[in-house]
């Protein structure tokens, strides 16, 4: 038996083709699950719409991979005005047979609030493939109509949107799929890009508002490029399966070097105001949303626990708590 | 609209019943996924059996929630002798119609090695429900036939097994389902339990071997208790759905207090030599196993990266690397 893959008769292509078959099953499973749980989500929406604190408390109990991006001012806004959340598989809804079950939209509904005019903020995530091997979620910046002086992103989001609009129409050299384009000379930054980069550098992304998440872009990949990339790949898989020769693309040899070169990719990330946007979106869609009842119950328990702590700690300055406490149900005296 | 659940017309029971319906869908989805991916897993097993380093490298690249429990000596053993890993849904295999798709077994195959005689170590995780509200994975300690002086758990595992065997036959007061039993007086520890507790306290669980994971128990819940608990619950759900009265159990009022009382549960954990055993098992079954190819490729990339680093760092003491390096494929000169 061979020690390593290089010495064995197994090729990376074989492993990758198999991985793609696993992914096909996974995609089919998402489709089935969406279908099967739709009536339950509708029932849940109806039930929890009767509890004003439901979604704010779910966010209060959000797991670390979401919570770490929620600043105190974001949290205050969510607590006071988040009315509902929903996740839909919009490509599947539009075309149950051919739509990609992986694409999803996250929709926030808000009450009247101090920070912005919008009642609904919805962000879409398209699952896309590029010809140079990227697979993942891309999105578009969503504008927020901030009230004067109340922009939690301090202009970052609207700058990101302006840059996106400017870039969107331009042909992307990477889309041609030739390996040499991967080493393309860098185009000079536009004025808007420069301004955005400066703003990002100034801000220091550690304390940036959760609402900057609405600015996540990922990569610029059109639906058309994605369709073509997937069709090419499917054709290669078919050929390999049939034992036909598949012309090797230049960049395939580089698969193993990509990790080394991956700094290149960071160019796009440099101009993304929320580079972890896809990870946060997946955490919301695949965890917070399906497990919302669990998180709500958890938040209730913590609430009561902290109330007990407060009662215990602050026996002599009860006034501080008075405004909040009466809303909560008392457990044993 | 009500601010809180207590003021609303929604009851916890309604939320929990709905949560159970979600869980039913989830379980059905696991069943479908297992069916659909079975041929792919067989194909993968056949492919990767030709690459000796496959599973060791997958463990090398394991995510933090597994990796944090792998000590350097565990890692050396896995690298040198882990031959294969597999995850099966054994209750489903035994009874496709009625078996619980959530129960799973993790099977490790080993080459001849310095530490133990076993060629196969398999640990089963049963998804069980108890009458006092526990839902989750329970297991039994798996013995390892250590070679003399080579026990990586330093006796901890065999002690855990001895305690388990002693306790297994005893009737569990918690199984009666009466709320008052939750406040049961503690039984005194047996001699074996005392010895185990002492050993655990001495060891300090921070640096304990990954192989202690084979000792995870969780809770003592029989298949029979679990069946009864689930049947009771299903009957209550049915009644609530039909609008019939459901006699309230004493302990239901305590739902919200449980968080406060949860220290009680830690009694069992005190005698578990690997309290996070269920979480690690789920990480293996739901992440490492399905994504093994991804982790393997990741490990290969890191390997090459660290090789490049080594070449770069250690240009003047190449001898150190010579023994290992020739096995690996060189990327560009």
């Amino acid at each position: 038996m061979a020690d390593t893959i290089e010495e064995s008769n197994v090729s990376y292509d074989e492993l990758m083709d198999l991985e793609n078959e696993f992914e096909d099953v996974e995609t089919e499973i998402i489709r089935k699950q969406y279908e099967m749980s739709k009536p339950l989500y509708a029932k849940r929406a109806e039930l929890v719409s009767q509890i004003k604190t439901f979604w704010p408390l779910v966010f209060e109990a959000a797991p670390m991979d979401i919570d770490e991006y929620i600043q105190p001012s974001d949290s205050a806004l969510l607590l006071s005005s988040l009315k509902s959340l929903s996740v839909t598989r919009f490509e599947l809804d539009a075309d149950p047979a051919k739509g990609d079950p992986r694409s999803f939209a996250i929709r926030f509904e808000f009450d009247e609030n101090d920070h912005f005019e919008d009642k609904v903020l919805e962000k879409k995530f398209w699952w896309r493939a590029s010809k140079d091997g990227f697979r993942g979620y891309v999105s578009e910046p969503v504008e927020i109509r901030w009230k004067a002086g109340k922009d939690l992103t301090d202009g970052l989001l609207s700058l990101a949107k302006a840059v996106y609009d400017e870039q969107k129409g331009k042909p992307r050299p990477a889309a041609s799929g030739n390996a040499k384009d991967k080493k393309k000379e860098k185009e000079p930054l536009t004025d808007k890009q420069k301004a955005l980069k400066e703003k990002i550098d100034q801000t220091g992304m550690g304390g940036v508002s959760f609402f900057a998440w609405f600015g996540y872009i990922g990569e610029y990949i059109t639906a058309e490029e994605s369709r073509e990339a997937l069709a090419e790949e499917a054709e290669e898989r078919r050929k390999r399966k049939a034992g036909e020769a598949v012309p090797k693309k230049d960049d395939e040899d580089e698969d193993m070097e990509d990790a080394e070169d991956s700094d290149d990719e960071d160019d796009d990330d440099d101009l993304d105001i929320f580079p972890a946007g896809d990870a946060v979106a997946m955490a919301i869609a695949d965890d917070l949303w399906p497990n919302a009842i669990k998180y709500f119950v958890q938040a209730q328990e913590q609430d009561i626990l902290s109330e007990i702590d407060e009662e215990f700690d602050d026996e002599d300055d009860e006034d501080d708590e008075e405004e909040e406490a009466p809303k909560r149900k008392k457990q044993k005296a």
Side-chain angles (χ1 to χ4, degrees), chain A:
Chain A
M1 182 164 67
D3 266 13
T4 63
I5 183 165
E6 290 80 6
E7 295 167 10
S8 76
N9 290 321
V10 182
S11 70
Y12 273 103
D13 284 339
E14 278 176 282
L15 286 182
M16 285 306 139
D17 285 352
L18 181 55
E19 193 60 19
N20 276 321
E21 288 185 60
F22 274 109
E23 209 159 298
D24 290 347
V25 167
E26 192 57 48
T27 305
E28 194 47 36
I29 286 291
I30 297 175
R31 185 196 309 275
K32 278 202 202 312
Q33 184 157 32
Y34 190 59
E35 237 169 66
M36 288 170 71
S37 37
K38 226 173 187 174
L40 298 182
Y41 282 120
K43 201 163 152 186
R44 188 180 76 181
E46 200 257 306
L47 264 185
V48 308
S49 72
Q50 300 170 54
I51 308 167
K52 201 174 166 186
T53 51
F54 186 85
W55 287 108
L57 283 181
V58 169
F59 268 86
E60 280 282 281
M64 188 46 82
D65 45 5
I66 298 170
D67 189 61
E68 63 178 316
Y69 297 104
I70 301 179
Q71 308 301 332
S73 49
D74 302 327
S75 178
L77 177 50
L78 292 171
L79 268 176
S80 69
S81 63
L82 177 62
K83 213 164 115 181
S84 83
L85 179 84
S86 56
V87 174
T88 51
R89 308 263 160 195
F90 60 92
E91 294 200 25
L92 210 50
D93 288 337
D95 183 348
K98 284 187 182 164
D100 194 318
R102 286 168 290 198
S103 297
F104 60 85
I106 302 179
R107 180 187 163 98
F108 293 77
E109 281 184 56
F110 291 92
D111 281 322
E112 184 71 39
N113 70 71
D114 289 346
H115 285 277
F116 48 73
E117 304 290 348
D118 309 85
K119 289 288 180 306
V120 172
L121 295 174
E122 183 177 61
K123 189 163 173 69
K124 287 182 171 177
F125 292 83
W126 289 268
W127 194 91
R128 295 264 163 91
S130 80
K131 293 196 180 177
D132 57 4
F134 170 88
R135 298 278 180 282
Y137 287 105
V138 304
S139 187
E140 290 178 354
V142 171
E143 245 169 328
I144 297 180
R145 288 176 296 141
W146 300 104
K147 294 183 178 174
K150 291 295 192 173
D151 181 349
L152 287 170
T153 74
D154 192 25
L156 212 45
L157 182 58
S158 56
L159 215 43
K161 171 83 169 117
V163 166
Y164 181 82
D165 289 342
E166 182 186 63
Q167 295 298 310
K168 201 185 170 184
K170 290 191 189 173
R172 312 290 302 173
S176 79
N178 291 328
K180 71 173 165 40
D181 285 327
K182 287 180 79 179
K183 310 285 184 209
K184 67 181 183 286
E185 303 98 80
K186 283 190 191 132
E187 278 185 55
L189 294 183
T190 66
D191 289 347
K192 285 200 174 103
Q193 285 178 319
K194 271 186 212 154
L196 177 58
K197 195 162 165 32
E198 217 163 274
K199 183 88 190 161
I200 290 175
D201 291 346
Q202 273 170 24
T203 312
M205 301 307 284
V208 80
S209 163
F210 173 76
F211 288 88
W213 171 80
F214 285 99
Y216 169 80
I217 296 167
E219 308 256 333
Y220 290 81
I221 304 170
T222 62
E224 203 190 334
E225 175 181 351
S226 188
R227 245 192 318 274
E228 287 174 13
L230 291 173
E232 265 179 30
E233 191 195 83
E235 177 61 12
E236 285 175 14
R237 276 164 74 182
R238 190 198 59 73
K239 281 188 180 164
R240 274 196 293 269
K241 214 163 184 172
E244 295 173 36
V246 177
K248 227 173 159 54
K249 273 196 247 166
D250 283 356
D251 59 313
E252 279 186 10
D253 281 333
E254 293 175 32
D255 273 1
M256 296 301 297
E257 289 168 39
D258 275 357
E260 210 190 332
D261 289 344
S262 63
D263 284 348
D264 286 2
E265 281 178 53
D266 292 344
D267 291 352
D268 280 334
D269 269 9
D270 274 359
L271 284 173
D272 206 310
I273 63 169
F274 207 99
D278 51 348
V280 170
M282 285 187 273
I284 294 175
D286 299 337
D287 181 3
L288 199 74
W289 166 250
N291 298 313
I293 292 179
K294 279 181 210 132
Y295 286 117
F296 172 71
V297 171
Q298 209 171 298
Q300 291 270 349
E301 284 169 356
Q302 283 164 356
D303 230 10
I304 280 158
L305 274 181
S306 65
E307 189 190 343
I308 290 165
D309 284 353
E310 279 166 16
E311 280 174 18
F312 193 77
D313 292 345
D314 307 327
E315 279 187 343
D316 35 21
D317 55 18
E318 277 183 324
D319 295 347
D320 294 349
E321 316 301 332
E322 212 100 69
E323 278 173 60
E324 271 197 87
K327 281 192 191 164
R328 296 187 191 137
K329 183 180 165 191
K330 293 270 183 207
Q331 299 290 330
K332 57 182 178 189

